[in-house]
């Protein structure tokens, strides 16, 4: 029997030096395929706002939207651990909001843990969610919900002072009880230092090769995108281009009358009378 990935599995993977392979997913079918491929961790990320719903950034994403996509992903019953992303303003205003919303992701969406952006300042929030028996993944560095605070999508932790702050944020999240931390958009040297300084796994995205695992946005790595991709994305297929070509062939077939032919049509069995 295939064993479900849990928080303990993820922690053990760091101990045993096994890399954690993670991707985002937002729907049932992709999750089934990810499961067959053997992914360890699936994040229903607020990136869905941009790559599924067409928002300009992740800020408009609601708890309801995350739950809607979490439901589709959890119906696929993957072996991988399902992490639900806490969207902007679902945990910033109060601890009570945070616990209630994290609970909704688990209870209504089927998340097995939640992720939230932020460091030391969010320790009371992380602790309260864990108190409610919900495992938490931290998220540090170029955290997209702080887009306006950063003044754009800028690599974080490049100078000594901000690097030290990120290191102490990571230690604070570990102490608060997070079972993993996503490190996004930071220099690889800092990611290496953080990874070596905490006992919980780091999962990198734009954080170089020395993290305990890696995560990418599924549509980026499949080559389904419109805007230029960041440097850290490795594109494993050009599915967007291949989909466009398939749609063009279909349109051409329909317009020229090549589709449907008899092999794609039902018969009454009375062909001779037609
Ligand atoms: O929302 C998301 O997809 C994420 C990943 C980029 C880590 O937070």
């Amino acid at each position: 029997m295939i064993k479900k990935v849990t928080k303990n599995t993820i922690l053990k993977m760091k101990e045993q030096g096994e890399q954690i392979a993670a991707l985002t997913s937002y729907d049932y079918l992709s999750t089934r395929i990810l499961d067959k491929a053997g992914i360890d961790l699936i994040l229903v990320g607020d990136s869905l706002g941009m790559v599924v719903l067409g928002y300009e950034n992740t800020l408009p994403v609601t708890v309801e939207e995350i739950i809607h996509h979490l439901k589709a992903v959890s119906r696929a019953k993957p072996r991988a651990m399902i992490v639900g992303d806490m969207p902007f303003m679902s945990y910033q205003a109060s601890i009570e909001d945070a616990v209630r919303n994290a609970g909704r992701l688990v209870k209504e969406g089927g998340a097995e843990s939640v992720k939230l952006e932020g460091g030391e300042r969010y320790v009371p929030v992380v602790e309260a969610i864990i108190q409610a028996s919900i495992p938490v993944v931290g998220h540090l560095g170029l955290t997209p919900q702080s887009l306006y605070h950063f003044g754009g999508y800028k690599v974080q932790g490049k100078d000594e002072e901000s690097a030290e702050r990120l290191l102490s944020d990571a230690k604070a999240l570990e102490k608060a009880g997070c079972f993993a931390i996503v490190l996004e958009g930071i220099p690889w040297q800092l990611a290496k230092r953080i990874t070596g300084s905490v006992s919980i796994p780091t999962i990198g995205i734009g954080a170089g090769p020395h993290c305990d695992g890696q995560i990418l946005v599924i549509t980026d790595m499949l080559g389904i995108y419109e805007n230029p991709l960041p440097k850290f994305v490795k594109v494993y297929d050009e599915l967007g281009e291949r989909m466009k070509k398939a749609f063009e062939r279909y349109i051409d077939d329909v317009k020229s009358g090549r589709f449907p032919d008899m092999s794609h049509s039902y018969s009454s069995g009375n062909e001779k009378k037609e």
Side-chain angles (χ1 to χ4, degrees), residues 249-265:
R249 277 175 30 231
Y250 167 75
I251 292 165
D252 198 42
D253 274 2
V254 169
K255 294 205 180 276
S256 65
R258 279 193 303 273
F259 177 81
D261 58 12
M262 283 305 125
S263 73
H264 295 98
S265 304

Side-chain angles (χ1 to χ4, degrees), residues 17-125:
E18 186 186 344
Q19 283 284 313
I20 300 157
L23 282 169
T24 65
S25 186
Y26 318 105
D27 67 275
Y28 173 82
L29 271 181
S30 306
T31 307
R32 296 286 291 180
I33 299 168
L34 281 173
D35 193 39
K36 285 183 204 153
I39 201 79
D40 298 314
L41 186 147
I42 291 170
L43 170 69
V44 179
D46 61 0
S47 51
L48 71 85
M50 295 165 84
V51 302
V52 179
L53 302 176
Y55 298 143
E56 258 189 36
N57 52 51
T58 60
L59 301 183
V61 175
T62 65
V63 171
E64 278 68 29
E65 284 163 344
I66 295 281
I67 290 174
H68 178 77
H69 289 272
L70 263 171
K71 280 182 173 172
V73 166
S74 60
R75 274 183 214 118
K77 297 187 172 47
R79 177 194 76 99
M81 180 179 225
I82 302 171
V83 184
D85 219 356
M86 301 280 292
F88 181 57
M89 288 318 292
S90 68
Y91 59 95
Q92 285 90 343
S94 74
I95 292 180
E96 198 181 316
D97 270 4
V99 176
R100 208 175 296 285
N101 286 321
R104 287 192 67 196
L105 300 200
V106 173
K107 201 175 165 88
E108 299 174 41
E112 293 150 354
S113 59
V114 299
K115 173 175 84 57
L116 57 89
E117 299 181 7
E120 213 152 351
R121 220 154 49 81
Y122 285 94
V123 161
V125 172

Side-chain angles (χ1 to χ4, degrees), residues 187-248:
W188 66 262
Q189 295 91 339
L190 174 59
K192 185 178 179 190
R193 203 167 146 215
I194 294 174
T195 301
S197 307
V198 293
S199 61
I200 56 174
T202 58
I203 302 176
I205 172 162
H210 301 290
C211 296
D212 300 302
Q214 296 293 327
I215 186 163
L216 285 175
V217 170
I218 190 167
T219 45
D220 289 351
M221 61 85 73
L222 289 176
I224 312 172
Y225 55 89
E226 288 202 304
N227 300 322
L229 292 174
K231 169 191 168 95
F232 63 77
V233 176
K234 181 168 176 184
V235 177
Y236 286 81
D237 206 329
E238 287 293 349
L239 274 201
E241 203 42 45
R242 294 198 344 187
M243 285 165 74
K244 181 169 156 276
K245 286 201 176 114
F247 299 150
E248 284 168 353

